[in-house]
Amino acid sequence: MRFVAFGCSHTWGDGILPGDSWDTPPSSASWVQVLSKKFNVPVLNLADSGGSNLLILHAIRNHDWQAGDIAVIQWTYFERSTIFDSKYTFRNISNYDIDNKDRPHRKQYYTLFPKYHIEYISLENIEHAYLYLAVHSIPMVARFTHNDIHINPTGLYSCLLADFQKPTLNFIAGILHKRAGTEQVGADNMHFNPVVHQLFADEYVHEITKLL
């Protein structure tokens, strides 16, 4: 048995501890590693910093799944996307640093497509991934990086079917409420710190326990 993790920088572990970055091995303090230690189960971290839900779907569909694998997913921001040049080459799109002249595709993308369209595609990516895992009988647990108001202001989460773990949509909001008035950011002053990642992991434990 092993955990196969999918997500963005919050799953890879960017900025949690000094030196943690997209171009270093996954952080030892990430919620994925906490789960690995908790259950004494090896983890394969396939997260991609700056990645989209489309990229997560792509990784899920193209992973060489093995008997006993459990997918642990932390979905990312709905406004992100990915342009694939081939199966193995791609460009991530986010509205971060949108005016960067070295990455003109970012501004072009958000100029071309309205926000509702972008978020609807992201919703379809998530449901596609859930259906793919179900069809192939791959057990999974999924959560969302941030609460729905932050990453999905158009309210498209209401379209998710109840059996697609709808009750988990606001779990980060609850975590951050617990941490209100205390330090939440990690070493890079942008991503979450080890305490929040421990809370992330705690939210997965109950559902994973039911799968074991």
Side-chain angles (χ1 to χ4, degrees):
M1 182 175 66
R2 65 177 175 174
F3 298 142
V4 185
F6 303 90
C8 62
S9 58
H10 296 298
T11 298
W12 186 256
D14 288 28
I16 305 174
L17 303 174
D20 287 342
S21 179
W22 62 270
D23 58 354
T24 63
S27 174
S28 61
S30 73
W31 63 270
V32 180
Q33 293 302 132
V34 174
L35 282 179
S36 177
K37 294 173 185 176
K38 170 75 175 178
F39 290 97
N40 193 27
V41 171
V43 62
L44 176 63
N45 193 331
L46 298 180
D48 192 281
S49 298
S52 65
N53 290 329
L54 175 58
L55 186 61
I56 293 173
L57 167 62
H58 183 267
I60 289 171
R61 286 185 58 91
N62 287 282
H63 177 58
D64 184 17
W65 292 96
Q66 300 177 13
D69 282 350
I70 297 176
V72 288
I73 308 166
Q74 193 172 103
W75 296 109
T76 189
Y77 307 94
F78 267 43
E79 69 267 19
R80 289 182 177 180
S81 191
T82 301
I83 297 174
F84 290 94
D85 299 304
S86 71
K87 184 177 180 178
Y88 302 107
T89 58
F90 56 85
R91 290 167 284 165
N92 284 323
I93 302 172
S94 73
N95 54 11
Y96 171 76
D97 196 19
I98 195 170
D99 292 316
N100 188 328
K101 293 182 179 179
D102 293 329
R103 299 176 178 177
H105 59 279
R106 289 183 175 179
K107 192 166 189 175
Q108 292 167 358
Y109 184 83
Y110 290 108
T111 300
L112 180 61
F113 295 109
K115 189 173 184 63
Y116 187 91
H117 173 86
I118 294 170
E119 292 189 355
Y120 193 81
I121 296 300
S122 194
L123 173 75
E124 289 186 322
N125 297 153
I126 293 170
E127 293 192 334
H128 183 161
Y130 287 165
L131 289 170
Y132 180 88
L133 292 168
V135 165
H136 292 277
S137 301
I138 300 166
M140 70 94 186
V141 176
R143 296 290 188 270
F144 287 75
T145 299
H146 282 279
N147 65 78
D148 60 349
I149 295 175
H150 180 77
I151 67 172
N152 183 226
T154 61
L156 273 172
Y157 275 164
S158 61
C159 297
L160 279 171
L161 301 181
D163 60 349
F164 286 168
Q165 300 202 20
K166 189 173 181 179
T168 69
L169 293 175
N170 283 310
F171 92 104
I172 297 297
I175 285 176
L176 298 186
H177 178 72
K178 293 177 185 177
R179 297 286 297 162
T182 63
E183 188 64 35
Q184 299 177 5
V185 296
D188 67 353
N189 289 315
M190 182 169 63
H191 293 85
F192 295 121
N193 65 18
V195 175
V196 176
H197 274 265
Q198 176 65 59
L199 294 171
F200 283 0
D202 291 345
E203 290 289 335
Y204 284 81
V205 168
H206 177 67
E207 295 299 323
I208 289 176
T209 300
K210 292 192 297 185
L211 296 175
L212 301 181

